[in-house]
């Protein structure tokens, strides 16, 4: 399938959502839409794998036969079901009973079957608790199939679901069920729902352009990015993972460079977003053994695998990416002073948890790893405890690069933000500043970085290339030694080091005065000429 087809699939799905949700809030309808797309992927993948596994024993149906092949096989082979499902768990890591498959759900919708609502409820529970070896409890917890937003009575809700499911099935039938294609369509839908959610979008979505910058940075060699991409990342973490788009982008970038990832880890506090992330991982073809997404509070560090007190057993990550909530108010208690993440630096103020998030991630970064985190500009220059934290990180040579980005790139805020690239073992004894805040394409609701299409510059690649080579460019990038930063009171405000101010050419006052005098003479001559014409017309005496 071409890129154009992928975009068309995404637009088709969004069109369905836009027309079918009626008076329902976009965030509510998002959960139904994405869950049905997820069920369709799981079912198609499972049926295709079952067909290969059963070979000639897989029932062959006529073109106009709406029966479910696996339903027929289950009826005719009851004694073999247990062994078949064991084999499917080994092959595709999950099992779906025939009655819960998307193809059966669509058939129930087509025939307006009154059992659709009940079957969906049972199917979602089965997938959560029994489909996978590692249970995905609560995966559909935010989907209320008995919501009055679908209808006041069970019959009305059943009817509305029949319409929604039929439309989805009809409109996407011609599109491939390829994992990456459906995964990309899922990402597209998440982005569209994010755009319609305004400030809420920051809870679950990082714009793909920024996600790509972070991903491309962390897969490069930690000591010397000019050496190129790493061959393998053993463990990757996003401690505020939202819908998981950043983690998936890291996976995509390293796969495109012929590298590999051992395991992906993510943590998310919002339950709805946490469920989105788990679906997103599976829908992009990851097996349940290839990722671990946890519902929990990063600032409290309530994840057991990150609470190992023995330094020799501490979990460390080769790459860490994050787009945590900007300047989140939090309530650190007295015990945080001895928290292993903060005790060497200080505790971020209650008014802004930005450095708390940064220090959390940095603590778990491996010696050869790279962390790229999106933060508000305030972390670069705010005083008090934030200045002390920043100063220690600079003196320890842990801040590698500061990248300033344009305003209005996010759904959730119009403020310009920055990317901090952190390392524990740096090769270079300076800080690279990249001032990219004036290079973008204006949009009505949201600005975009240019991507080199239609002869335009590629703002994303320019940032990556500058980071990779540590190239200095007037009014864009500069390598700054710690001594100069110290002279500036450890203030990292980018404009102090890379000013985009461009002096105007000096003005020749004498030439300007001569030009003005000449223009005045011409005006005087023109006034006299006009006066002659007016006299001839008898307008003036």
């Amino acid at each position: 399938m071409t890129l154009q087809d992928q975009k068309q699939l995404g637009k088709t799905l969004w069109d369905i959502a836009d027309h079918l949700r009626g008076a329902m809030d976009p965030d509510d309808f998002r959960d139904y839409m994405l869950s049905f797309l997820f069920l369709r992927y799981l079912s198609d993948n499972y049926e295709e794998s079952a067909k290969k596994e059963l070979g000639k024993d897989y029932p062959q149906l006529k073109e106009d036969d709406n029966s479910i092949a696996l339903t027929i096989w289950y009826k005719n082979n009851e004694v073999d079901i247990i062994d078949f499902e064991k084999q499917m768990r080994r092959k595709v890591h999950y099992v779906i009973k025939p009655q819960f498959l998307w193809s059966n759900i669509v058939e129930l919708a087509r025939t307006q079957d009154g059992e659709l609502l009940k079957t969906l409820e049972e199917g979602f529970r089965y997938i959560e608790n029994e489909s996978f070896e590692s249970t995905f409890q609560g995966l559909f917890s935010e989907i209320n199939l008995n919501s009055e937003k679908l209808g006041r009575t069970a019959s009305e809700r059943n009817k509305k679901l029949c319409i929604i499911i039929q439309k989805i099935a009809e409109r996407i039938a011609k599109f491939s069920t390829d994992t990456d294609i459906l995964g990309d369509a899922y990402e597209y839908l998440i982005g569209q729902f994010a755009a319609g959610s305004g400030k809420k979008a920051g809870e679950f979505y990082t714009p793909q352009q920024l996600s790509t910058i972070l991903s491309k940075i962390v897969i490069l060699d930690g000591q010397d990015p000019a050496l190129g991409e790493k061959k393998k990342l053993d463990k990757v973490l996003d401690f505020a993972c939202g819908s998981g788009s950043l983690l998936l982008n890291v996976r995509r970038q390293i796969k495109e460079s012929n590298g590999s990832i051992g395991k992906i880890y993510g943590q998310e506090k919002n339950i709805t977003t946490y469920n989105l992330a788990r679906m997103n991982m599976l829908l992009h073809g990851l097996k349940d053994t290839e990722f671990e997404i946890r519902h929990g509070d990063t600032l409290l560090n309530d994840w057991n695998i990150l609470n190992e007190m023995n330094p020799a057993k501490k979990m460390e990550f080769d790459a860490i990416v994050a787009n945590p909530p900007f300047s989140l108010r939090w309530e650190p208690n007295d015990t945080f002073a001895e928290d292993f993440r903060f005790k060497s630096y200080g505790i971020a103020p209650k008014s802004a948890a930005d450095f708390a998030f940064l220090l959390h991630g940095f603590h778990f970064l491996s010696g050869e790893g790279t962390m790229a985190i999106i933060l508000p500009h305030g972390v670069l220059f705010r005083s008090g405890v934030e200045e002390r934290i920043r100063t220690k990180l600079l003196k320890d040579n842990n801040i590698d690069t500061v990248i300033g980005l344009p305003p209005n790139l996010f759904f959730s805020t119009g403020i310009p933000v920055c990317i901090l690239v952190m390392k524990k073992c740096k090769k270079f004894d300076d800080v690279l500043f990249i001032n990219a805040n004036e290079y973008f394409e204006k949009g009505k609701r949201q600005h975009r970085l240019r991507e080199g299409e239609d002869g335009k510059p590629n703002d994303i690649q320019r940032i990556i290339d500058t980071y990779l080579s540590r190239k200095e460019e007037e009014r864009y990038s500069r390598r700054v030694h710690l001594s100069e930063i110290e002279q500036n009171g450890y203030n990292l405000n980018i404009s102090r080091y890379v000013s985009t101010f461009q002096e105007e050419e000096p003005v020749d006052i004498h030439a300007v005065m001569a030009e003005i005098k000449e223009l005045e003479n011409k005006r005087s001559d023109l006034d006299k000429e006009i006066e002659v014409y007016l006299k001839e017309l008898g307008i003036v005496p």
Side-chain angles (χ1 to χ4, degrees), residues 116-183:
L116 172 68
L117 183 60
K118 180 183 176 184
T119 305
L120 267 177
E121 289 178 321
E122 291 176 354
F124 283 163
R125 279 198 300 272
Y126 181 83
I127 291 171
E128 286 181 331
N129 300 314
E130 298 181 55
S131 277
F132 296 86
E133 297 246 349
S134 51
T135 63
F136 283 82
Q137 290 179 350
L139 191 62
F140 302 101
S141 62
E142 296 301 292
I143 302 158
N144 183 4
L145 293 172
N146 291 303
S147 169
E148 289 196 0
K149 293 175 182 178
L150 284 171
R152 285 181 296 177
T153 66
S155 176
E156 288 177 356
R157 291 192 288 274
N158 198 83
K159 186 176 180 181
K160 180 70 178 285
L161 285 169
C162 284
I163 294 170
I164 293 171
I165 290 166
Q166 266 189 282
K167 286 293 182 185
I168 294 174
E170 288 169 7
R171 297 287 293 277
I172 67 176
K174 66 178 182 178
F175 291 104
S176 167
T177 57
D178 179 86
T179 304
D180 288 335
I181 291 164
L182 272 177

Side-chain angles (χ1 to χ4, degrees), residues 220-231:
L220 291 168
D221 185 86
Q223 283 288 303
D224 187 357
L227 295 176
E229 296 91 353
K230 293 181 176 180
K231 293 300 178 187

Side-chain angles (χ1 to χ4, degrees), residues 438 474-475 498-504:
E438 292 189 0
E474 189 176 2
R475 294 191 300 277
V498 186
S499 175
T500 57
F501 176 75
Q502 196 166 359
E503 289 188 11
E504 296 182 8

Side-chain angles (χ1 to χ4, degrees), residues 57 92 154 258 270 280 345 359 503 525 531 540:
D57 293 332
V92 291
N258 296 316
N270 181 289
N280 209 2
Y345 299 90
L359 291 173
E503 289 188 11
D525 292 341
E531 188 177 358
V540 295

Side-chain angles (χ1 to χ4, degrees), residues 64 70 146 152 162 203 254 311 334 405 411 427 468 520 525:
D64 58 347
L70 271 180
N146 291 303
R152 285 181 296 177
C162 284
E203 296 175 3
I254 199 162
D334 295 339
L405 295 169
F411 301 112
K427 175 182 178 181
L468 186 147
E520 287 177 344
D525 292 341

Side-chain angles (χ1 to χ4, degrees), residues 11-23 29 33 160 163-164 167 171:
K11 289 176 181 176
T12 298
L13 291 166
W14 176 245
D15 184 59
I16 296 169
D18 202 33
H19 283 85
L20 290 183
R21 70 180 179 87
F29 194 80
M33 188 76 185
K160 180 70 178 285
I163 294 170
I164 293 171
K167 286 293 182 185
R171 297 287 293 277

Side-chain angles (χ1 to χ4, degrees), residues 506-522:
V507 178
D508 187 336
I509 298 296
H510 297 294
V512 172
M513 292 299 294
E515 186 178 353
I516 291 172
K517 189 172 184 180
E518 183 181 352
L519 290 171
E520 287 177 344
N521 290 334
K522 285 182 179 180

Side-chain angles (χ1 to χ4, degrees), residues 30-48:
R30 175 197 69 205
D31 298 331
Y32 294 102
M33 188 76 185
L34 296 179
S35 296
F36 292 149
L37 186 61
F38 176 63
L39 178 59
R40 194 243 191 181
Y41 162 70
L42 287 182
S43 300
D44 287 355
N45 185 51
Y46 187 76
E47 286 183 284
E48 191 61 34

